[in-house]
Amino acid sequence: PLTVEQVQSKPDEYLGTHVRWGGTVLDVSNRKDSTFIEVLSRPLGRTSRPLERPGIGRFMVEVDGFVDPATYPVGREVTAVGTLTQVLEKAVGDYPYQYPVMDHSQLHLWPERPEIDPRYPYYDPFWGPPYPRWPYYSPFWHPHPLYW
């Protein structure tokens, strides 16, 4: 699959190419006739949802008309399918950055990932079925004192 870095290295070669990219929303900026959604690109998983990995570049999705920034809040995951139309140069801090721009044919906002308590994936023998691996979890089994 085509990556953001490949398009940034040879922008004229890939214009008009159909791509599917995803990542995390960084900014939503409304213009007079369209809206640009800035996305930090991340690799996609089997379901096309962005994986929780470091970013691999930035791109923009151009949407016709007005999009309320509250609809695509910063930090939410999106997957976009569209055609590369242009490469815009915009500053990230003081650094000039080339953003591949795609017009969207589909734009999917993923639901937020649930927070998982890290304590629960671990097995606790006191809350499981009663003594599943006899005799090791039995309260009546004790190793012989000479083995200590």
Side-chain angles (χ1 to χ4, degrees), residues 34-148:
S34 63
T35 301
F36 285 92
I37 300 173
E38 182 180 343
V39 181
L40 176 65
S41 179
R42 298 182 188 278
L44 299 179
R46 290 182 304 168
T47 61
S48 295
R49 184 173 188 153
L51 300 173
E52 294 181 300
R53 301 238 174 103
I56 53 174
R58 295 176 180 216
F59 67 95
M60 288 193 181
V61 180
E62 184 177 8
V63 181
D64 293 333
F66 174 79
V67 174
D68 189 0
T71 306
Y72 293 94
V74 173
R76 288 290 296 273
E77 296 172 323
V78 295
T79 300
V81 177
T83 306
L84 294 174
T85 57
Q86 60 181 325
V87 175
L88 284 179
E89 187 166 318
K90 181 181 169 187
V92 177
D94 291 333
Y95 184 78
Y97 194 83
Q98 291 185 338
Y99 285 89
V101 179
M102 74 164 69
D103 64 343
H104 84 292
S105 59
Q106 292 181 347
L107 184 62
H108 182 73
L109 180 68
W110 292 94
E112 292 186 46
R113 293 182 189 263
E115 292 215 16
I116 298 173
D117 190 351
R119 295 174 293 174
Y120 288 118
Y122 302 109
Y123 177 71
D124 187 357
F126 299 107
W127 293 104
Y131 315 118
R133 294 183 187 98
W134 184 84
Y136 302 106
Y137 287 108
S138 170
F140 307 109
W141 181 80
H142 297 287
H144 194 275
L146 295 178
Y147 292 115
W148 293 345

